[in-house]
Amino acid sequence: MQRILEAFANDALRVEADVGKRSKEHQRVWEQGSKLQDELEEKLGQKEKELFEELMDTMASESSYYAQERFIYGYRLGVLMTMEVFSDPDIFVWKGMDRT
């Protein structure tokens, strides 16, 4: 646990998924999106390409905010679940009674 806390304190905690380990389905969808983006860019003029790039940047920013919010929400949920587990650890211990 100490290593995780040190990484957290030094802003070195890796929280993003390793995109090099995409599932086959994820990789297929990513490649399809990349192919469609290339095809669309070939058909656009310079002004439309700039508008498209601005749209893609805006969508990426929104996606980043959403991912951050999901991470925080999930982290908070995990901590609440942990608190609940530790709130009454004695429920797992037999109290003065024979289990049989």
Side-chain angles (χ1 to χ4, degrees):
M1 178 62 92
Q2 185 65 24
R3 290 186 350 212
I4 293 173
L5 291 175
E6 287 173 4
F8 184 68
N10 294 319
D11 200 26
L13 190 62
R14 183 176 163 204
V15 295
E16 294 184 19
D18 187 353
V19 294
K21 297 180 181 178
R22 291 184 183 115
S23 68
K24 289 180 182 180
E25 180 65 16
H26 184 185
Q27 184 65 30
R28 184 192 66 74
V29 170
W30 182 85
E31 289 171 357
Q32 179 68 16
S34 182
K35 178 183 168 194
L36 290 170
Q37 183 176 342
D38 291 344
E39 288 178 24
L40 182 59
E41 285 181 342
E42 287 177 12
K43 296 179 181 192
L44 299 177
Q46 185 59 35
K47 188 170 185 167
E48 290 84 5
K49 283 183 183 181
E50 291 171 6
L51 184 59
F52 179 69
E53 282 296 321
E54 187 176 347
L55 172 62
M56 295 301 290
D57 290 345
T58 301
M59 291 177 70
S61 292
E62 193 283 329
S63 180
S64 178
Y65 284 120
Y66 178 69
Q68 180 182 13
E69 290 169 4
R70 284 188 62 197
F71 174 82
I72 292 168
Y73 183 82
Y75 191 93
R76 292 177 71 192
L77 178 59
V79 169
L80 285 173
M81 292 170 69
T82 302
M83 288 172 52
E84 183 177 317
V85 168
F86 286 111
S87 68
D88 190 9
D90 292 336
I91 65 170
F92 300 105
V93 178
W94 291 98
K95 297 179 183 170
M97 300 182 107
D98 189 3
R99 298 185 307 166
T100 58

